[in-house]
């Protein structure tokens, strides 16, 4: 992976996860390689969970203003 894990987009993480699953399901890998892929997949899942949690917090901070427009508060 060329980017740091924290810089990988949610979509890129999902694509990589799909790729890892396909490789593991092929049955062509050694046990050791499958374990490496499994560990990478678990790291990607954790990253996706963080990204989803962050997105959920932003949505929860969406507040309707008095003029009928919406504003996204920065929660950081």
């Amino acid at each position: 992976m060329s980017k740091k894990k924290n810089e990988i987009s949610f979509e890129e993480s999902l694509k990589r996860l799909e790729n890892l699953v396909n490789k593991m399901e092929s049955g062509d890998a050694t046990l050791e390689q499958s374990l490496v892929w499994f560990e990478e997949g678990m790291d990607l899942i954790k990253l996706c969970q963080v990204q989803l949690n962050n997105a959920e917090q932003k949505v929860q901070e969406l507040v309707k203003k008095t003029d009928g427009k919406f504003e996204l508060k920065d929660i950081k």
Side-chain angles (χ1 to χ4, degrees), residues 24 28-40:
M24 292 175 72
D28 296 333
T30 64
L31 176 60
E32 292 79 17
Q33 183 61 60
S34 293
L35 288 172
V36 169
W37 289 336
F38 179 79
E39 186 175 357
E40 181 183 351

Side-chain angles (χ1 to χ4, degrees), residues 14-27:
L14 284 182
K15 190 172 187 173
R16 179 64 183 153
L17 276 168
E18 288 177 16
N19 190 353
L20 290 171
V21 168
N22 289 335
K23 287 180 179 182
M24 292 175 72
E25 286 180 341
S26 75

